[in-house]
Amino acid sequence: MKVLSVTSECAPLVKTGGLADVAGALPAALAPLGIEMRTLLPGYPAVMKAIASGTEVWTGADPVTGTPARLLAAQAAGLDLMVYDAPDHFARDGNIYLGPDGRDWPDNPERYAAFCRVAEGICDGMAGDWRPDLIHCHDWQAALAPYFLDGATPSLLTIHNIAFHGLAPEGKIEAMGLDRADFHREGFEFWGRVSALKAGLLYASKLNTVSETYAAELMRPEFGMGMDGVLRGRAEDLTGILNGIDTAAWDPETDPAITPYKSPKGKAKNKRALQDAMGLPTDAEGPLCVVVSRLTEQKGLDMLADALPALLEGGGQLALLGSGDAHLEHRFHGLAKDRNVAVRIGYDEPLSHRMIAGGDAILVPSRFEPCGLTQLYGLRYGTIPLVALTGGLADTVIPASPAALARKVATGLQFHPVNTDALSLALTRLCDLYAREEIWNQMTRNAMSQPVGWDTSAAAYAAIYKDLVGAA
Ligand code: ADP
């Protein structure tokens, strides 16, 4: 079966979040199941650099700008790529979505509409003989492809984060190549604007998101961000499939960024190294907690800042790596004055591995979390996740309830409701559990033996693809 994955980011070539990890991991996970996946990516500078020796399969004019553009077939980082090289849209340095002022590029709607036209074109023979049996689109950036295809090729749209709608003013309808006749409540209109995501939610043959809990949450007003009604209308076509992690890149036994280890005992050296690197004292009695995250409202780190006294009073430490909202960066800089708090603002892949390996616990207090990856890294590295009871965090952590402890199956802690008080209590409980060595070691071993790879989820995607192709 031939599948075209349509995505605006793909690790390791270009990444702003978990979407890239998933898009990067899926092709290899699906190959053993007989699925040949090619990945369509925009020709950002980082991608063009990585595919120096691509083959031109199409040249022509970009549908939005009318300026020269090309489609290249190439291989890089073990991925079979199709790259849409349209310099007017994508030859821009820095964050792929944001201009130098930190705001969305004003022409994002047209850039990604053009990209989706190319996905449609590939289904229509633009890449010669290679035509996909179905397309697998990710998030709003790819969500117009099912609209343009209008059922001609089956499509699956994966929602990685419903918070991003791909909104555009009504005046852009024609520039984006959309049909004004569909600009109404039952079409892609969303409160007077165009929503690329809504078009995808309506036109894709099937929908999924990245955990079962998030799939159920999305149909409720508190989490649906205005799309809950549309999703309730498509409840029969919406499923939840958990993300896996790249178990080769995230393997404590072979990870080149750390002192490798097989059992929880091996974490001690990494903890010491992390404390030294972050300037934290090595005599703390409580757990060293780590955070690797975008610093945004979604991630609940303002609640963590408020709840921090509970961790420090329990003798714990905090090491945080992240970047994002200026006010949160500023707040954590201030908190780092405490000798048991260390903060690194920035994006640093090797340091993220050292943090996950060296921490005793990883904190993920998100207000909503479609799947979440860092708690999965934590499990694999024996770093106990303390998470909010929401989305994929609810589905991947077995909380240390008395029953789970008695049955020796607990892998972490969950708190609910998702607020500062509940988080404070959970941090205190974390410190208590850490002090009970036998229980803590058992939880660490449980965590390390959880399956967090792609096997189950790849099979679930393959089953949807088969359904789609069978029904076409
Ligand atoms: P989201 O996609 O909402 O940001 P996920 O948990 O799904 O959240 O994925 C985040 C990914 O980005 C993980 O692979 C995480 O390790 C990585 N990451 C986030 N912030 C940083 C950072 N400052 N440095 C290195 N990696 C980071």
Side-chain angles (χ1 to χ4, degrees):
M1 192 188 308
K2 295 201 273 291
V3 180
L4 181 68
S5 169
V6 186
T7 178
S8 59
E9 41 185 290
C10 184
L13 304 174
V14 52
K15 165 167 166 174
T16 74
L19 159 62
D21 293 299
V22 176
L26 264 180
L30 289 163
L33 305 175
I35 290 162
E36 179 195 334
M37 180 171 265
R38 293 200 184 178
T39 304
L40 175 64
L41 269 178
Y44 311 114
V47 174
M48 297 308 293
K49 210 167 134 200
I51 59 152
S53 61
T55 315
E56 224 169 56
V57 295
W58 173 89
T59 55
D62 176 82
V64 171
T65 59
T67 53
R70 304 183 295 163
L71 182 65
L72 303 167
Q75 293 196 316
L79 298 159
D80 276 323
L81 300 174
M82 314 240 52
V83 175
Y84 183 49
D85 177 27
D88 280 352
H89 290 311
F90 301 118
R92 303 176 190 181
D93 288 322
N95 184 296
I96 52 180
Y97 308 124
L98 310 177
D101 57 358
R103 291 163 183 256
D104 285 349
W105 288 111
D107 60 348
N108 274 350
E110 298 95 310
R111 296 170 78 204
Y112 290 102
F115 177 62
C116 290
R117 296 299 290 260
V118 173
E120 179 205 12
I122 293 172
C123 295
D124 222 20
M126 188 174 170
D129 288 344
W130 197 88
R131 288 189 200 209
D133 298 304
L134 72 119
I135 62 170
H136 182 167
C137 303
H138 300 273
D139 275 352
W140 74 265
Q141 296 88 338
L144 285 175
Y147 171 84
F148 290 129
L149 280 165
D150 199 13
T153 301
S155 55
L156 170 68
L157 174 65
T158 301
I159 306 159
H160 294 266
N161 193 334
I162 201 89
F164 304 110
H165 287 184
L167 292 174
E170 182 190 343
K172 292 202 176 195
I173 289 178
E174 282 75 21
M176 291 168 74
L178 307 176
D179 186 346
R180 189 167 279 275
D182 297 322
F183 186 66
H184 53 77
R185 276 185 60 164
E186 275 70 50
F188 54 68
E189 189 247 353
F190 186 76
W191 300 100
R193 289 197 276 175
V194 174
S195 164
L197 179 66
K198 190 177 172 201
L201 297 180
L202 291 170
Y203 282 82
S205 321
K206 291 230 183 249
L207 307 172
N208 85 295
T209 185
V210 289
S211 67
E212 284 186 16
T213 296
Y214 193 58
E217 285 173 346
L218 282 181
M219 290 187 272
R220 305 200 334 238
E222 313 91 279
F223 289 97
M225 308 234 175
M227 296 295 173
D228 45 292
V230 180
L231 287 166
R232 282 195 300 277
R234 296 218 55 194
E236 292 202 345
D237 295 320
L238 171 66
T239 50
I241 302 178
L242 269 182
N243 288 334
I245 62 170
D246 181 341
T247 47
W250 289 92
D251 182 351
E253 291 187 34
T254 58
D255 191 332
I258 66 167
T259 304
Y261 58 95
K262 275 195 168 72
S263 75
K265 278 200 200 101
K267 288 179 68 65
K269 265 193 179 164
N270 288 292
K271 176 172 179 178
R272 181 62 193 254
L274 181 62
Q275 285 170 320
D276 287 346
M278 301 291 280
L280 288 166
T282 53
D283 57 357
E285 286 187 359
L288 169 57
C289 296
V290 296
V291 172
V292 177
S293 182
R294 292 186 289 121
L295 302 181
T296 65
E297 169 90 12
Q298 174 197 339
K299 299 294 178 179
L301 296 169
D302 52 320
M303 289 186 280
L304 176 61
D306 291 337
L308 198 55
L311 175 65
L312 299 177
E313 279 158 25
Q317 299 179 308
L318 176 71
L320 175 140
L321 166 65
S323 63
D325 294 354
H327 75 276
L328 279 170
E329 294 187 359
H330 183 74
R331 178 114 196 252
F332 277 100
H333 263 313
L335 292 170
K337 293 199 179 84
D338 190 295
R339 63 194 290 269
N340 282 307
V341 178
V343 170
R344 291 282 178 282
I345 299 298
Y347 190 94
D348 187 333
E349 193 83 32
L351 179 57
S352 74
H353 286 243
R354 294 204 294 277
M355 303 228 351
I356 308 268
D360 295 302
I362 177 156
L363 311 180
V364 194
S366 307
R367 291 192 164 81
F368 68 93
E369 192 59 80
C371 178
L373 292 174
T374 58
Q375 86 280 12
L376 300 177
Y377 303 151
L379 290 171
R380 184 143 165 92
Y381 281 62
T383 307
I384 296 300
L386 185 166
V387 302
L389 183 66
T390 188
L393 302 173
D395 296 356
T396 53
V397 173
I398 304 170
S401 64
L405 288 176
R407 283 192 287 126
K408 299 191 166 51
V409 294
T411 60
L413 288 87
Q414 287 174 337
F415 66 97
H416 180 79
V418 183
N419 62 31
T420 303
D421 288 348
L423 175 55
S424 295
L425 285 174
L427 287 168
T428 302
R429 179 120 198 284
L430 180 82
C431 295
D432 291 347
L433 286 172
Y434 180 75
R436 294 159 68 186
E437 214 169 300
E438 203 176 312
I439 292 184
W440 187 266
N441 290 339
Q442 178 71 50
M443 282 177 68
T444 316
R445 285 194 299 274
N446 296 345
M448 288 183 83
S449 62
Q450 289 295 303
V452 288
W454 271 101
D455 293 354
T456 312
S457 302
Y461 277 111
I464 295 194
Y465 296 168
K466 283 191 184 119
D467 263 12
L468 281 174
V469 173

